[in-house]
């Protein structure tokens, strides 16, 4: 009977795994060396697109540790379309609440924040889209961005189909 119970749990878990359709189109991360992100260090992702009909949500995912010094994060995000059109956005995301508690998920010192970048967008051109992300967060004493941003461990990009 014990063996039958184990097989049932294994079968149920397998079915559950395959029945979940998150609609994930793209999901990639790049690590930041020594968790020190230089302002000139652009994180780039190349996304190949063949679906010119479906709506998608685009997310920027940031992983930070306790060494991150700010309650918000400023990013410059660019999309270069296959035929050359470029879209540039300056974004601000809250990383901590008013009491200084980190937002995001995770049980360790590293927190992951899945941040909306583009919502309900249709990529109408087939081909490679180039996404680039760089930070624009500065301390009051570092207007030129000479010091790296501490505590960012990974930067990711994910694209999901809208149901």
């Amino acid at each position: 009977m014990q063996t039958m119970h184990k097989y049932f749990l294994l079968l149920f878990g397998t079915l559950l795994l395959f029945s979940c359709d998150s609609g994930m189109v793209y999901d990639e991360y790049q690590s930041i060396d020594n968790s020190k992100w230089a302002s000139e260090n652009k994180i780039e992702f190349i996304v190949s697109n063949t679906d010119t009909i479906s709506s998608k949500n685009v997310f920027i995912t940031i992983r930070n540790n306790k060494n991150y010094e700010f309650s918000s994060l400023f990013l410059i995000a660019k999309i270069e379309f296959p035929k050359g059109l470029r879209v540039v956005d300056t974004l601000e995301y809250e990383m901590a609440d008013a009491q200084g508690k980190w937002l995001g998920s995770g049980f360790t010192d590293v927190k992951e924040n899945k941040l909306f970048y583009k919502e309900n967008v249709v990529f109408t051109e087939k081909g490679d889209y180039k996404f680039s992300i760089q930070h624009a967060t500065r301390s009051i004493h570092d207007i030129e961005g000479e010091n790296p941003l501490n505590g960012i461990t990974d930067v990711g990009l994910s694209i999901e189909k809208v149901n």
Side-chain angles (χ1 to χ4, degrees):
M1 187 68 175
Q2 184 99 11
T3 306
M4 183 70 128
H5 183 69
K6 286 181 184 178
Y7 284 120
F8 176 74
L9 285 175
L10 180 64
L11 178 63
F12 180 74
T14 304
L15 287 174
L16 186 63
L17 181 68
F18 286 108
S19 67
C20 295
D21 180 24
S22 66
M24 186 65 67
V25 174
Y26 183 86
D27 190 30
E28 200 70 40
Y29 289 87
Q30 291 187 26
S31 294
I32 304 297
D33 289 339
N34 300 317
S35 302
K36 294 179 184 287
W37 191 5
S39 61
E40 67 274 1
N41 182 13
K42 293 180 185 176
I43 308 299
E44 295 183 341
F45 302 94
I46 305 295
V47 179
S48 187
N49 181 56
T50 58
D51 179 357
T52 59
I53 298 171
S54 301
S55 294
K56 298 174 184 76
N57 291 328
V58 181
F59 300 92
I60 295 172
T61 307
I62 301 292
R63 291 182 183 145
N64 68 286
N65 63 30
K66 63 183 179 181
N67 296 327
Y68 188 68
E69 304 170 74
F70 303 98
S71 63
S72 60
L73 175 67
F74 291 90
L75 300 175
I76 299 170
K78 298 177 187 176
I79 305 173
E80 186 174 329
F81 288 64
K83 293 181 182 173
L85 175 70
R86 292 183 186 167
V87 176
V88 180
D89 295 294
T90 302
L91 310 165
E92 179 184 8
Y93 296 109
E94 292 299 316
M95 302 296 284
D97 65 16
Q99 289 73 39
K101 181 180 178 241
W102 292 119
L103 302 174
S105 61
F107 296 107
T108 65
D109 284 343
V110 177
K111 298 296 180 193
E112 181 173 287
N113 289 276
K114 185 176 180 180
L115 311 166
F116 262 108
Y117 173 35
K118 296 288 183 186
E119 193 171 1
N120 225 6
V121 65
V122 176
F123 294 106
T124 58
E125 298 176 16
K126 287 186 179 184
D128 290 342
Y129 286 75
K130 180 179 175 181
F131 292 81
S132 87
I133 303 163
Q134 68 185 109
H135 81 82
T137 304
R138 309 279 191 271
S139 76
I140 197 163
H141 304 292
D142 186 24
I143 303 303
E144 299 299 319
E146 295 174 2
N147 298 320
L149 189 59
N150 291 315
I152 301 295
T153 62
D154 301 276
V155 177
L157 183 80
S158 62
I159 302 173
E160 300 173 6
K161 280 188 182 181
V162 176
N163 292 332

